[in-house]
Amino acid sequence: EKGLDAANMDDVARAAQLGKGTLYLYFQDKEDLVLGVALRRQRALLRAFEPHLSEPPLTRLRRLFAIYVEHLRTPDEHLRMVMLRWAGCRGFDDERSNAEPMRDKIRHTYGIFCEAIEEGQRDGSIRADLPAQRLTLQLWSSVNGWLLMQLQLPLMPSELKQAVPDFDEQLELLLDAIQTPAPRESLTRGGAA
C-alpha cells in the first residue's frame, strides 16, 4: 500500500495482524524482512520450475521465462520492489543470515536457464556460435527489460504503448534470435534453376 521505502515494521506487523515484538522474533529489521520475503519467493519460483526441467530446451525456455515473468509480476508491488532494488543497485548485506542462501538461489535460477541453452546447443536447436552464459544473460536482461517496460506503460505516450509487444511476442522474438536457422531449401531441384 505504501511502497517498500515508506513502510515500516509497525505497518507490517499491523497488516500481518501480529504484535511488533512477534515480528521481531522472525526478522531483525525491515531489510531482514525484505530478504526473507525474497528468499521465500525465490524458493517458490524454483519449485514452479521443477515440472518443466526435462522438456526440450526451447520449450523449457518458453515455459521457464513465462513462469519467471508471472512470478515477478504477481503481485504488482513485488515487481516494483524488485525493479527498484535492481535499479538502485541495492543488494543484500553480507552479514544477513539469508544473504548467501538468496545468492545461491539466484545462481541456481541462472544455472537452470543456462543448462537449457547448453542442452539446446548440444542438440542443435540453439545457436552454438555464442557462449551459453552470454546468451543466458542476454535473454534474462531482455525479459527483465520487458518487465520494467510494463511498469512504464502508464507513463508512455499512446503510440509507444501500442508498439510494446505482449510477453509471448517478446519471448518468441528472443527465442527466434537464438535458434539455429533451419537449412534453406536448395533453389535448384534436380539441377534446374
Side-chain angles (χ1 to χ4, degrees):
E1 292 171 5
K2 291 184 173 185
L4 181 63
D5 289 331
N8 59 44
M9 292 294 272
D10 288 328
D11 297 328
V12 172
R14 212 174 5 266
Q17 299 179 344
L18 293 172
K20 189 174 172 184
T22 304
L23 187 61
Y24 278 108
L25 288 174
Y26 296 99
F27 306 104
Q28 66 186 31
D29 55 24
K30 186 170 81 170
E31 185 68 10
D32 197 40
L33 173 70
V34 169
L35 180 55
V37 169
L39 184 58
R40 182 178 180 179
R41 289 188 59 88
Q42 192 69 19
R43 287 179 183 134
L45 175 65
L46 290 169
R47 280 192 307 275
F49 284 172
E50 286 175 7
H52 309 287
L53 297 181
S54 61
E55 293 176 349
L58 288 168
T59 302
R60 185 180 334 154
L61 287 169
R62 275 185 195 88
R63 182 89 63 207
L64 296 179
F65 275 120
I67 292 167
Y68 176 77
V69 163
E70 183 63 26
H71 171 79
L72 282 178
R73 291 181 78 181
T74 310
D76 284 343
E77 186 55 39
H78 179 250
L79 179 59
R80 282 186 194 83
M81 178 184 79
V82 169
M83 290 297 172
L84 284 171
R85 287 193 74 90
W86 287 346
C89 299
R90 290 175 57 194
F92 292 110
D93 181 1
D94 288 343
E95 301 303 313
R96 306 257 175 208
S97 63
N98 283 328
E100 195 53 38
M102 184 63 190
R103 284 189 195 94
D104 287 343
K105 298 293 181 217
I106 292 169
R107 284 184 201 102
H108 185 74
T109 303
Y110 168 80
I112 286 171
F113 285 94
C114 197
E115 286 171 20
I117 290 172
E118 289 170 342
E119 187 178 321
Q121 288 176 325
R122 285 191 299 274
D123 75 13
S125 61
I126 295 176
R127 293 174 50 181
D129 60 326
L130 300 170
Q133 289 185 341
R134 186 173 296 163
L135 279 177
T136 303
L137 288 173
Q138 287 298 86
L139 289 173
W140 212 351
S141 61
S142 294
V143 168
N144 287 328
W146 183 88
L147 284 163
L148 181 58
M149 198 177 342
Q150 298 307 298
L151 292 176
Q152 296 296 315
L153 282 176
L155 306 174
M156 286 184 178
S158 60
E159 64 273 12
L160 286 180
K161 283 183 192 178
Q162 294 171 4
V164 175
D166 68 21
F167 181 68
D168 290 334
E169 290 175 284
Q170 176 75 10
L171 188 56
E172 283 309 309
L173 179 67
L174 294 171
L175 294 180
D176 283 349
I178 70 165
Q179 288 183 58
T180 302
R184 294 181 181 200
E185 284 190 37
S186 174
L187 295 177
T188 60
R189 294 197 184 263

